[in-house]
Amino acid sequence: MHTVSLSLSPNERTINPNIFGQFIEHLGTCIYGGIYDELNPLSNENHLRTDVLEKIRRLSPPTIRFPGGTVVNIYHFEDAIGPVSDKKTKKNLVWGGDLRPEFGPCEFAMFCKSVGAEPMICVNMASGTPEEAGNFVDYMNGTGNTYYSNLRRKHGFDEPFNVKYWCVGNECYAEPDIGIQNDVQIYIRDAREFIKFMKLTDPSIELILVGSDNMDGWNKPVLDQLGNFCDYLSYHFYAAHSPHPLYGTFLAEKVFQEKVREFTSLIQTYPSEPQNHNPWYRFPARKHPISLMIDEWNIWDYKDDGAYGLYMNYAWKDAVWVASMINTFINEPLISGANMAQLVNVLSPILSDGTGSYEQMIFIPLEFYRKNASGTHVCVELSGAYDIQVSDDAFIPALSCACCLNDGRKTLFIVNRDFSSSVSVRIPFDAEATVFSADPEAIANKQNASVSPSLSSLSEDSSFILPAGSICIFKEMKQ
């Protein structure tokens, strides 16, 4: 058994709760049959599944992103507002079937309110227009006597929804997707016009611009020309189990961490405060330094089978990976938000059918980190740590750690990603320990929908055995 010791050094950086965001898209049964189901007896008067709402509230997502995703390239908000009889069903050119309009922007905003989340809306750059995007902002946020503010009121919503976060396009670099903005200069040209219409409509909104893993060919030109308007640069990341069934996702996590370092190196070359902002734009530049928004992330074993492998059954090994990723979000100062894709049924922590719903294994770390990871960041230094050899030339660290300080008490998160060996670690404070562990291939179902934690207490500098493949949370005892 390996023995590891650690030291802690608090700093003043606040952990952003937006790292626990979620994402819903008009895709499969994520919304219809997942969140929204008119005919199901489990649904409330707003057609929202009450059993699903209860589980979402346990996750307490601070933000939820909508309506896509790739489907945003064909999404026009005016098709999905007003009485249901006036809404328009169109063909879903992206995912197949119909793009149903019953759950529109207003229903989304009310759903967010019901679970305590801030809405994050992505606008259609591919087949939409800058003026349409400005009208969308006015419809959701307007307070004046304008056509779209009054239209929202006519539809029964007197008060504005005050949507703060707006994504200017989605994965526009992807040439196979609908749209011509895969040419970075076209994206820059078009995004500038979208930004004008949106910010002139509501100067208070914050903008997420499309980023990619191409630093020099995409991200640098975008920031060179639009950096004064960019509150957040987005990055989408999906891990896969290939090429190693047990550790493939953790190898992908190393790639993610390297990309974050590349983003950090690039973004740090831009001034914290905007420079030479032309006042003739008539709206303010960004108010804070540029940061990174991981507005889609999860494990996705893509399949070219028409269903795209979107309906994943996540095992305990995937829960361990999710905990490791959250540790990275906590530790990386550049990351200001993250939205797991997606919330229900599609690549999701929650699964539902016509008779009920249950939590997948990845629900466990999402819930427990959300409850316990807040306050200011604490740096963790390991001594005696070791790597797991995955293949002849591939290694991953056995442990992933993060720590926070809240209300004078430290909370330490340690994930043992070694599925074949326990690890002894000395905890440097009196702590209450909560430990989750299971067989790495264990999958939840309606009959066995959770892993029960083991609970214990330990005194300062006590050695604690981290089980193989475990998620461990140590909360400092009150003095």
Side-chain angles (χ1 to χ4, degrees), residues 160-236:
F161 295 115
N162 298 319
V163 178
K164 177 180 180 180
Y165 302 107
W166 293 81
C167 306
V168 185
N170 174 81
E171 296 181 3
C172 296
Y173 49 81
E175 183 275 331
D177 290 342
I178 292 172
I180 61 172
Q181 288 87 11
N182 57 288
D183 181 318
V184 68
Q185 292 305 323
I186 294 177
Y187 175 77
I188 291 166
R189 180 200 69 187
D190 291 356
R192 185 181 284 113
E193 296 308 303
F194 275 75
I195 290 166
K196 290 174 185 176
F197 275 86
M198 295 168 72
K199 291 283 278 190
L200 286 168
T201 302
D202 183 350
S204 72
I205 63 175
E206 297 190 2
L207 300 179
I208 300 126
L209 302 191
V210 172
S212 82
D213 56 7
N214 185 342
M215 299 298 153
D216 294 329
W218 184 277
N219 297 331
K220 187 176 188 303
V222 168
L223 294 181
D224 283 347
Q225 299 191 51
L226 302 177
N228 275 4
F229 314 126
C230 180
D231 296 287
Y232 311 91
L233 193 64
S234 73
Y235 178 44
H236 293 180

Side-chain angles (χ1 to χ4, degrees), residues 250-264:
F250 298 96
L251 293 172
E253 181 193 13
K254 288 185 67 176
V255 175
F256 173 80
Q257 292 169 341
E258 177 56 35
K259 283 297 175 185
V260 172
R261 287 190 285 270
E262 292 179 21
F263 274 104
T264 301

Side-chain angles (χ1 to χ4, degrees), residues 98-111:
D98 290 334
L99 183 56
R100 291 173 52 186
E102 295 95 327
F103 187 89
C106 295
E107 290 77 15
F108 165 65
M110 296 305 291
F111 158 69

Side-chain angles (χ1 to χ4, degrees), residues 67 124 141 161 215 223 233 314 320 331 371 404 435 471:
N124 175 3
N141 291 3
F161 295 115
M215 299 298 153
L223 294 181
L233 193 64
Y314 291 113
V320 172
N331 290 329
K371 288 179 178 178
C404 63
V435 177
I471 302 169

Side-chain angles (χ1 to χ4, degrees), residues 337-353:
N339 299 80
M340 173 172 271
Q342 295 181 16
L343 183 52
V344 183
N345 287 338
V346 176
L347 304 176
S348 64
I350 301 169
L351 291 182
S352 70
D353 58 23

Side-chain angles (χ1 to χ4, degrees), residues 75 116 143 181 306:
Y75 190 86
T143 59
Q181 288 87 11

Side-chain angles (χ1 to χ4, degrees), residues 295-361:
D295 54 13
E296 291 186 28
W297 71 280
N298 209 335
I299 297 171
W300 183 4
D301 291 336
Y302 170 78
K303 296 178 183 178
D304 188 15
D305 60 358
Y308 308 100
L310 290 163
Y311 293 93
M312 295 280 296
N313 288 313
Y314 291 113
W316 177 248
K317 63 185 179 184
D318 305 318
V320 172
W321 179 84
V322 166
S324 297
M325 286 290 288
I326 298 173
N327 284 347
T328 297
F329 298 159
I330 291 170
N331 290 329
E332 290 291 346
L334 187 69
I335 298 176
S336 290
N339 299 80
M340 173 172 271
Q342 295 181 16
L343 183 52
V344 183
N345 287 338
V346 176
L347 304 176
S348 64
I350 301 169
L351 291 182
S352 70
D353 58 23
T355 62
S357 58
Y358 64 95
E359 308 95 15
Q360 294 223 67
M361 289 294 189

